[in-house]
């Protein structure tokens, strides 16, 4: 079905985004996979094209388009190349940018955002800890008051862009007696004494994503690096999770749609028993179901994108988008592997990599089980 949420400006922007992907990402995928990271040159080129500052005001180097549909378009085009690359760029321009723009002081914006938009600074967000994933209120990283700043101790894990991030938004407990109301956000900068990165984590999928552990040992962070209000870090995170989750939905369904299209082409060409495998009634019915499910989900996600752009997407609706899109994505890709037969299990085929890459989407940005819990609570259950 025709998508109706985009204008001519969005279509022109999509063409630019696709050109960037075709020129700067696709030819270097094997390099990214081998090095388990996106090199800085790809970030710099994205910055030059204006893709990293969509939510950043012009005076700080961004374009301040004021239209979330542009964020969605860029996420879709990168997701068609790789779900892993989309997560790396998305954490930077879609998740971290609102923290800096909404919560940063004038001095902080001047100091960080121009290089952030240019790709010279790569950003990450440090929420998840080894002792707990989706339970952000239970974090154990601490920040104790010191002369002129704070001393951080603790660790984070599963941090996307953690291997190369120049700026890490870190959630730490500043008042243990207040529970969730005693958490503050800090910006940890590359090179600070006491800040160390662990190994690049050996993941099942998303190989080209530089996911790492981060360690803070008696790390002094000056007052000038406190982001937002003291002890309101949990609230700041909750206020911005809706964008992270609708962004995940955009990437999830775009990724599934692309691989499904490639699978349809494959089953038209692959033959068995003298016929294209796609012509067998069972496979034909499976594909018909997949296409319909993807289009229905796309319409739901598009509706959420517009709602978020108009500032009327609730946290609960964002949770619905996140869990459902991840569920559909994984169902579609599992079926695509099956339709490829033995070749679907070979890493040289995109469908195999896509299948592995997608599995984590039911876990991160709040597990699907947590999303259902939020929805259930909203229903009074």
């Amino acid at each position: 079905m025709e998508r109706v949420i985009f204008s001519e400006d969005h279509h022109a922007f999509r063409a630019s985004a696709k050109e960037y992907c075709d020129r700067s990402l696709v030819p270097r995928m094997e390099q990214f996979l081998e090095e388990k990271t996106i090199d800085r040159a790809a970030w710099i080129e994205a910055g030059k094209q204006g893709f990293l500052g969509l939510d950043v005001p012009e005076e700080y180097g961004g374009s301040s388009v004021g239209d979330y549909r542009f964020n969605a378009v860029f996420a879709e085009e990168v997701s068609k190349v790789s779900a892993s690359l989309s997560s790396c760029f998305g954490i930077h321009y879609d998740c971290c940018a609102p923290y800096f723009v909404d919560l940063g002081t004038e001095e902080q914006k001047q100091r960080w955002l121009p290089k952030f938009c240019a790709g010279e600074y790569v950003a990450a967000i440090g929420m998840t800890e080894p002792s707990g994933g989706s339970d952000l209120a239970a974090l154990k990283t601490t920040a104790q008051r010191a002369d002129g700043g704070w001393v951080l101790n603790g660790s984070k894990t599963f941090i996307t862009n953690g291997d190369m991030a120049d700026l890490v938004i870190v959630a730490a407990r500043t008042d243990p007696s207040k529970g969730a109301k005693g958490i503050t956000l800090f910006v940890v900068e590359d090179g600070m004494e006491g800040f160390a990165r662990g190994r690049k984590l050996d993941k099942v999928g998303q190989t080209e994503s530089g996911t790492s552990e981060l360690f803070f040992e008696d790390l002094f962070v000056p007052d000038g690096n406190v982001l937002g209000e003291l002890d309101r870090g949990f609230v700041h995170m909750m206020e911005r999770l809706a964008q992270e989750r609708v962004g995940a939905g955009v990437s999830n369904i775009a990724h599934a749609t692309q691989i499904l299209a490639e699978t349809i082409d494959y089953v038209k060409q692959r033959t068995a028993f003298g016929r294209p495998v796609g012509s067998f009634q069972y496979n034909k019915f499976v594909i018909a179901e997949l296409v319909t499910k993807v289009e229905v989900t796309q319409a739901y996600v598009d509706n959420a994108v517009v709602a978020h752009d108009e500032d009327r997407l609730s946290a609960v609706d964002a949770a619905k988008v996140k869990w459902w899109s991840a569920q559909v994505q994984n169902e579609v890709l599992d079926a695509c592997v099956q339709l490829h037969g033995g070749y679907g299990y070979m890493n040289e085929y995109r469908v195999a990599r896509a299948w592995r890459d997608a599995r984590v989407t039911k876990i991160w940005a709040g597990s699907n089980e947590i999303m259902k819990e939020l929805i259930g609570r909203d229903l009074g259950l």
Side-chain angles (χ1 to χ4, degrees), residues 266-340:
Y266 177 83
V267 298
K268 288 178 179 178
Q269 300 169 22
R270 177 75 172 172
T271 59
F273 305 102
R275 297 168 54 188
V277 297
S279 68
F280 292 108
Q281 187 183 62
Y282 177 81
N283 290 342
K284 190 183 301 182
F285 282 10
V286 166
I287 293 168
E289 291 175 7
L290 296 177
V291 168
T292 304
K293 185 175 290 187
V294 162
E295 291 189 5
V296 169
T297 303
Q298 184 69 73
Y300 186 60
V301 172
D302 283 353
N303 189 52
V305 167
V306 173
H308 182 60
D309 183 54
E310 296 175 353
D311 198 27
R312 54 182 177 83
L313 181 72
S314 70
V316 172
D317 286 341
K320 294 173 185 175
V321 169
K322 187 272 171 187
W323 95 258
W324 180 253
S325 64
Q327 184 68 29
V328 170
Q329 176 191 28
N330 276 267
E331 290 177 2
V332 168
L333 294 178
D334 191 71
C336 287
V337 168
Q338 192 73 17
L339 287 164
H340 275 76

Side-chain angles (χ1 to χ4, degrees), residues 170-247:
V170 176
R173 190 170 298 284
T174 43
D175 190 338
S177 68
K178 293 183 178 179
K181 296 181 180 179
I183 295 171
T184 302
L185 301 180
F186 299 86
V187 177
V188 172
E189 300 183 59
D190 182 37
M192 284 183 165
E193 187 175 354
F195 173 39
R197 309 170 200 265
R199 60 191 172 87
K200 292 180 185 178
L201 298 175
D202 185 16
K203 308 184 296 295
V204 171
Q206 305 238 356
T207 306
E208 59 272 42
S209 167
T211 310
S212 301
E213 301 166 305
L214 304 179
F215 301 98
F216 319 110
E217 184 176 357
D218 295 331
L219 168 63
F220 178 76
V221 179
D223 284 328
N225 282 40
V226 174
L227 190 62
E229 297 181 48
L230 187 66
D231 292 337
R232 283 184 57 81
F234 186 77
V235 174
H236 293 328
M237 290 188 288
M238 292 302 101
E239 290 173 342
R240 284 153 191 84
L241 276 176
Q243 178 152 320
E244 179 179 356
R245 287 168 179 164
V246 72

